[in-house]
Amino acid sequence: MSAGRKLVVEADGGSRGNPGPAGYGALVRDALTGEVLAEVAEAIGDATNNVAEYRGLIAGLAAASGIDAAARVEVRMDSKLVVEQMSGHWKIKHPGMVPLALRARELAEDLGSVSYTWIPRNRNAHADRLANEAMDAAARGEQWVRKVEETPGEPEPPPAPVRPPSSTPMTTVLLRHGETPLSVEKRFAGTSDVPLTANGLAQARAAALALKDRELDAIVTSPLARCRATAAEVAAVTRLDVRVEDGFRETDFGEWEGLTFAEAGKGWPAELKAWLADPEVAPPGGESFAQVSRRVRTALDKVKVRHREQTVLVVSHVTPIKMLVKDALGAPMPSLYRMHLDVAALSSIDWYADGPATLRSFNDVHHLPA
């Protein structure tokens, strides 16, 4: 498991009576994918709400450490007291809380980093449910512990070996969607859910045939219809499922949506000039390239986590694909304006865990009719 992985701990605790029959619940998620990696809950007999909440925090940190001792951890709890005390904003006055807080800090010090975030109870429902199961058991006078590191009801697998950085890359095959009515007229096409043209559908089928024997392991697509239709053609020949990843959607061009470059320049000359000069500047009512870059990197990180050493087809748009190429090359943002990417074009990047990425191909259209 790679060092510095980001994890989220959600924890809660409570008692029926304060003090009364008490229990805690905690879980660990992968911060990128949201997948639950571990759950733990325990009935702890008679205790106060605060003791149970601290016990939940301790259990969550211990579970995170067992997954990746070098992880960067964000703790999310609906206990304002625990969050403020562990963040160093409030003093710990109750003597019974001091040893619990010290134990939590010891666990936190052994992790890569730990931060604390207060969340409302309705956003802590999973941990709250686990804590209530534990309180129910405590109220029945049971000694009850639940520890799950995979889907409940399945046998526990053996611990996964710690793997060093791999010299085998994760490969993304990047496919721009087929032709649309807006691409024909060279208009800004961002979040508008425009369909493929008949020619665009034929291009998607041609790309699918070119990828049929590529030995793909997975298909990921932008949520927009033109990409989903393109991805569906590849799925039909490869028999792979398609996963939608919102981070690979096109830029939101705001007020410029559906306009040509000349029309945008005529209506917003100063804004267009500023947009071209600064990646932090967004079109009126839209999204900046810097924002797009951040979400595309997050989407790529999710793919890397799910598909280590595999080959993944990513069906996306001009801007996200150019962003990935830019990052692979370590190029500056203005390089986006020096790349030409055709509809239904294929590109390929190898992403290495132990070194820089390698651009293998770009704007390959050999599969399309002349």
Side-chain angles (χ1 to χ4, degrees):
M1 193 171 295
S2 60
R5 183 178 185 180
K6 188 171 182 182
L7 302 174
V8 172
V9 168
E10 298 170 15
D12 199 8
S15 69
R16 304 273 165 79
N18 198 29
Y24 67 78
L27 60 136
V28 183
R29 296 184 188 275
D30 186 288
L32 291 173
T33 66
E35 294 168 278
V36 176
L37 306 175
E39 290 181 353
V40 61
E42 183 179 1
I44 58 174
D46 284 355
T48 64
N49 287 331
N50 293 340
V51 166
E53 288 164 344
Y54 263 108
R55 290 285 300 274
L57 169 63
I58 290 167
L61 291 173
S65 180
I67 292 168
D68 186 348
R72 295 169 292 133
V73 176
E74 179 189 1
V75 175
R76 299 174 184 171
M77 299 182 69
D78 59 60
S79 170
K80 190 82 169 175
L81 176 79
V82 174
V83 167
E84 295 296 338
Q85 287 182 343
M86 292 304 299
S87 299
H89 301 149
W90 292 359
K91 290 184 178 180
I92 303 173
K93 297 180 180 179
H94 195 289
M97 299 298 104
V98 174
L100 295 172
L102 287 175
R103 177 57 183 152
R105 288 191 177 121
E106 288 173 356
L107 288 166
E109 288 172 359
D110 289 337
L111 287 158
S113 66
V114 178
S115 63
Y116 297 88
T117 302
W118 177 84
I119 56 174
R121 181 168 293 276
N122 62 0
R123 289 180 52 200
N124 204 28
H126 193 147
D128 180 67
R129 173 175 57 78
L130 293 172
N132 274 286
E133 290 179 20
M135 283 186 276
D136 289 342
R140 295 190 298 267
E142 298 175 5
Q143 291 184 333
W144 182 87
V145 177
R146 178 181 181 184
K147 187 173 183 181
V148 181
E149 296 181 359
E150 76 293 325
T151 304
E154 295 180 359
E156 290 194 17
V162 177
R163 296 185 292 184
S166 173
S167 59
T168 301
M170 190 278 292
T171 299
T172 50
V173 178
L174 310 172
L175 172 59
R176 186 187 171 193
H177 61 78
E179 179 188 271
T180 72
L182 294 185
S183 68
V184 171
E185 298 181 6
K186 300 188 183 304
R187 295 181 179 274
F188 284 105
T191 55
S192 296
D193 226 358
V194 292
L196 297 177
T197 63
N199 185 48
L201 184 59
Q203 292 171 336
R205 289 171 177 164
L209 290 176
L211 292 167
K212 183 178 180 180
D213 299 320
R214 185 66 184 263
E215 297 185 355
L216 300 173
D217 296 295
I219 301 173
V220 177
T221 182
S222 155
L224 297 176
R226 54 195 184 271
C227 284
R228 296 179 72 157
T230 302
E233 295 300 323
V234 184
V237 300
T238 60
R239 300 185 182 278
L240 292 171
D241 293 332
V242 177
R243 187 185 190 104
V244 174
E245 175 51 59
D246 186 65
F248 288 127
R249 70 185 185 279
E250 182 57 286
T251 307
D252 183 348
F253 293 111
E255 297 293 330
W256 301 343
E257 189 75 17
L259 302 181
T260 64
F261 192 86
E263 289 169 344
K266 184 176 180 180
W268 294 267
E271 290 84 351
L272 184 66
K273 184 177 180 180
W275 177 67
L276 292 171
D278 186 349
E280 295 288 348
V281 173
E287 182 181 28
S288 73
F289 278 160
Q291 291 172 308
V292 177
S293 179
R294 287 189 287 270
R295 66 168 164 81
V296 168
R297 286 175 181 170
T298 299
L300 176 65
D301 285 344
K302 291 181 182 180
V303 173
K304 288 179 178 177
V305 168
R306 291 190 176 105
H307 302 288
R308 190 177 190 267
E309 300 182 13
Q310 293 185 329
T311 298
V312 181
L313 175 69
V314 176
V315 184
S316 189
H317 310 261
V318 169
T319 309
I321 292 174
K322 287 184 177 181
M323 288 290 184
L324 292 169
V325 172
K326 172 189 73 67
D327 286 352
L329 296 175
M333 195 70 81
S335 65
L336 298 180
Y337 305 118
R338 297 175 181 268
M339 302 181 202
H340 174 79
L341 191 68
D342 289 297
V343 288
L346 288 164
S347 304
S348 179
I349 301 172
D350 287 343
W351 305 93
Y352 291 90
D354 61 349
T358 301
L359 179 65
R360 299 297 297 269
S361 64
F362 179 71
N363 199 41
D364 182 357
V365 292
H366 79 276
H367 51 282
L368 300 179

